[in-house]
Amino acid sequence: MRKYIIILIVLCIIAFGGIFMEKQIVNGEKEELYILAKERMTDFIKKNYKDIKSIDYSDDCEVNPMRGIDIKGYLNGDKQKEIWGIYDKTNDEIGSFTVDAEKKPECEDKICEY
């Protein structure tokens, strides 16, 4: 009987350790993905919009089940000029987005390469 209790305790420790390690990997992956999403969103905005001096991103981000990351922020230190977009890692592009800024003339009818 004592042997079974020890085996059960060891299995529980291994299971909880595995869950903890998985959470650490997921959080590290999320941070890496968020950094990449901010870089691509910055490239996208600076290439397609006029008079962008600075971009500030919020710290809250969400990774959707399709591995896209929801990113929010504002432009030029003005919290009224909001930005939002979804970075699609698979296609390495910004999918859906809203940017409270004026588009560059050459990018009005299309999205310019970024």
Side-chain angles (χ1 to χ4, degrees), residues 29-40:
E29 208 173 282
K30 181 179 176 182
E31 182 67 27
E32 194 175 294
L33 188 58
Y34 183 56
I35 290 168
L36 180 60
K38 287 193 301 187
E39 289 173 3
R40 295 299 284 155

Side-chain angles (χ1 to χ4, degrees), residues 19-104:
I19 291 170
F20 177 75
M21 290 303 292
E22 181 181 348
K23 292 277 186 200
Q24 294 297 337
I25 291 169
V26 168
N27 287 339
E29 208 173 282
K30 181 179 176 182
E31 182 67 27
E32 194 175 294
L33 188 58
Y34 183 56
I35 290 168
L36 180 60
K38 287 193 301 187
E39 289 173 3
R40 295 299 284 155
M41 187 73 165
T42 299
D43 293 343
F44 171 77
I45 291 171
K46 286 186 176 183
K47 185 68 177 182
N48 286 280
Y49 294 89
K50 294 197 288 189
D51 301 323
I52 305 301
K53 294 170 187 69
S54 68
I55 302 171
D56 297 295
Y57 294 101
S58 64
D59 289 331
D60 61 325
C61 65
E62 295 179 27
V63 178
N64 67 32
M66 298 300 290
R67 310 266 310 144
I69 190 160
D70 199 18
I71 189 166
K72 301 173 200 161
Y74 55 92
L75 301 171
N76 301 332
D78 183 356
K79 292 188 178 183
Q80 300 299 314
K81 293 197 168 268
E82 296 179 341
I83 60 169
W84 169 84
I86 297 177
Y87 172 67
D88 176 10
K89 184 180 179 197
T90 305
N91 297 315
D92 191 34
E93 67 182 10
I94 303 298
S96 299
F97 60 90
T98 57
V99 178
D100 189 10
E102 188 177 340
K103 282 191 162 205
K104 290 181 178 177

